[in-house]
Amino acid sequence: MAIVEMKIPFVNQPVKTSEISMWLVKSGDYVIKDQHIAEIDYDKVSLELNAEQNGIITLKAKAGEKIQMGQVICEIDTDAARP
């Protein structure tokens, strides 16, 4: 099984935490590479997070939770067959 860990991306700001404002998918969904899967809020900027690969996603963080930079927030099983 090949698993891709997706982490909170670093930004060029002096912030150490961010927050997932909204997940647009749920655990068990099949995602497509570059699909918009979440919205992330930093101090002064909001970013869209896109899937890095095709596969079944498992969420590792909750919306509204404070997340450290570089923390794993979801995993994508790239060996999973598209339903």
Side-chain angles (χ1 to χ4, degrees), residues 20 71 76 81:
I20 298 169
Q71 180 178 334
I76 300 174

Side-chain angles (χ1 to χ4, degrees), residues 27-43:
S27 284
D29 284 352
Y30 189 88
V31 295
I32 306 295
K33 183 177 181 178
D34 295 328
Q35 176 182 342
H36 186 124
I37 60 172
E39 294 179 3
I40 301 173
D41 290 332
Y42 297 89
D43 261 354

Side-chain angles (χ1 to χ4, degrees), residues 2-51:
I3 300 290
V4 172
E5 292 183 329
M6 290 188 57
K7 300 176 181 180
I8 287 287
F10 289 92
V11 292
N12 291 330
Q13 291 186 21
V15 295
K16 300 206 185 292
T17 63
S18 62
E19 181 178 307
I20 298 169
S21 58
M22 179 187 326
W23 282 107
L24 302 173
V25 296
K26 60 186 182 306
S27 284
D29 284 352
Y30 189 88
V31 295
I32 306 295
K33 183 177 181 178
D34 295 328
Q35 176 182 342
H36 186 124
I37 60 172
E39 294 179 3
I40 301 173
D41 290 332
Y42 297 89
D43 261 354
K44 298 179 181 179
V45 68
S46 294
L47 297 176
E48 296 177 351
L49 183 67
N50 296 327

